[in-house]
Amino acid sequence: MASIEDVLELEALEKDIFRGAVHPSVLTRTFGGQVAGQSLVSAVRTVDEAFKVHSLHGYFLRPGNPAKPTVYLVDRIRDGRSFCTRRVTGIQDGKAIFTMSASFHSEDEGIEHQDTMPSVPAPEELVDAQTLEEFAATDLYREWKEWDVRIVPPGSTGKTPGIAAQQRVWMRYRSKLPDDQVFHICTLAYLSDMTLLGASKVPHPGVVTQTASLDHAMWFMRPFRADEWLLYDQTSPSAGFGRALTQGRMFDRNGTMVAAVVQEGLTRIQRDQDKRDIETGNMA
């Protein structure tokens, strides 16, 4: 599998037009985190360094083909004194597969507070998911072999009262990454799509569903490194009508909340036609 540095390396074709290269993949559809990460890189390339990305909102419109490159068109929606806005459209075969708005802020002084990180076992006390037979054999975990993913066992962390579905995961990139904070933010956009939809399936063991990310929103709050441990505290407050809402908070090892994520995903019961659609790329 390609390194995250290779995945996020884009070719500038023209002003505000970029192209992501084709990378080896075991997936039949382009991983959503890859498209989101590359879209954010495209947006960042058009903004002055004085502005830092603080949020993004994206929609996955069509399944991407991992055997084809994706072209990203950036629209400069607004350039203000404190905020900048960019809209990015990812295109394959002349059709939009992803659209995203990203907001950038020059940063100001203001009030400060944050949630407390949940009490969980340290990542060193948990098992690397790549060593577990039930995970290592799956396409996603083979796709993510450069990531150290350690799922916190439900019995080793307290369940928040009233929460319908909950999952906690320690994650980090295995190799040292460049020091550039913008690179870590774009890497986190990739990481944020990993395991999140799985939180919705925690109360439904054994139920086979067709899953796909439908939309994705992120907020970046404080500096962090994606090659150091981050706790992804995930919940799914509601699921129904073939869709599930999921959300997550990300903390570094010091308990600092660095990002928040909300995503809705497809979670309809698997049908034979769904299997054929996945194989042919004709998913709704």
Side-chain angles (χ1 to χ4, degrees):
M1 300 300 105
S3 69
I4 192 66
E5 293 96 330
D6 290 337
V7 169
L8 297 181
E9 180 63 36
L10 302 185
E11 176 187 2
L13 300 180
E14 184 52 270
K15 181 180 179 181
D16 300 344
I17 303 177
F18 304 88
R19 179 169 59 196
V22 174
H23 300 289
S25 176
V26 298
L27 304 179
T28 58
R29 294 170 286 143
T30 306
F31 174 54
Q34 174 176 315
V35 180
Q38 291 180 341
S39 293
L40 187 55
V41 171
S42 299
V44 167
R45 295 268 190 95
T46 69
V47 176
D48 188 274
E49 292 182 357
F51 292 85
K52 310 300 181 185
V53 60
H54 70 93
S55 69
L56 64 82
H57 296 72
Y59 284 91
F60 298 93
L61 306 176
R62 295 180 175 86
N65 184 343
K68 295 183 177 181
T70 303
V71 173
Y72 298 93
L73 310 180
V74 181
D75 291 326
R76 301 181 184 230
I77 304 301
R78 177 175 183 262
D79 286 295
R81 289 183 298 177
S82 298
F83 289 90
C84 294
T85 305
R86 297 292 185 264
R87 182 172 59 223
V88 183
T89 304
I91 296 176
Q92 283 189 347
D93 293 327
K95 297 179 180 180
I97 65 170
F98 182 74
T99 182
M100 181 187 77
S101 293
S103 182
F104 298 77
H105 185 210
S106 59
E107 299 186 350
D108 295 309
E109 293 184 359
I111 62 173
E112 292 190 20
H113 63 260
Q114 68 156 73
D115 288 348
T116 300
M117 185 176 77
S119 178
V120 297
E124 292 82 4
E125 301 174 25
L126 304 175
V127 178
D128 185 342
Q130 295 286 354
T131 66
L132 299 175
E133 184 177 349
E134 63 268 34
F135 292 128
T138 65
D139 286 345
L140 279 178
Y141 277 87
R142 282 187 286 160
E143 187 81 2
W144 298 337
K145 67 178 183 178
E146 297 299 327
W147 295 90
D148 196 338
V149 178
R150 307 197 180 197
I151 299 175
V152 179
S156 65
T157 179
K159 187 176 185 297
T160 305
I163 296 296
Q166 178 177 286
Q167 176 174 261
R168 288 165 176 159
V169 187
W170 283 106
M171 307 175 81
R172 68 172 176 179
Y173 195 70
R174 294 182 186 275
S175 304
K176 183 174 175 57
L177 296 174
D179 291 332
D180 181 14
Q181 180 61 199
V182 174
F183 184 86
H184 287 267
I185 288 174
C186 294
T187 299
L188 196 68
Y190 180 103
L191 175 154
S192 64
D193 195 34
M194 297 167 60
T195 75
L196 182 56
L197 198 51
S200 68
K201 301 187 68 175
V202 171
H204 311 282
V207 178
V208 180
T209 59
Q210 179 192 355
T211 60
S213 302
L214 297 177
D215 63 9
H216 199 81
M218 290 191 74
W219 295 264
F220 305 96
M221 293 141 180
R222 298 171 181 88
F224 62 89
R225 293 190 65 93
D227 53 5
E228 295 179 354
W229 287 114
L230 296 171
L231 178 67
Y232 204 171
D233 180 31
Q234 307 166 344
T235 60
S236 177
S238 178
F241 302 99
R243 304 186 310 275
L245 181 67
T246 55
Q247 54 194 20
R249 303 176 300 170
M250 294 186 179
F251 299 85
D252 65 18
R253 292 202 66 165
N254 295 322
T256 302
M257 187 175 176
V258 301
V261 187
V262 175
Q263 181 184 88
E264 188 178 41
L266 183 70
T267 52
R268 67 188 176 199
I269 302 300
Q270 182 81 58
R271 303 176 303 225
D272 290 340
Q273 182 60 46
D274 295 331
K275 297 177 182 178
R276 291 192 291 271
D277 287 344
I278 291 173
E279 292 171 355
T280 59
N282 293 325
M283 290 176 54

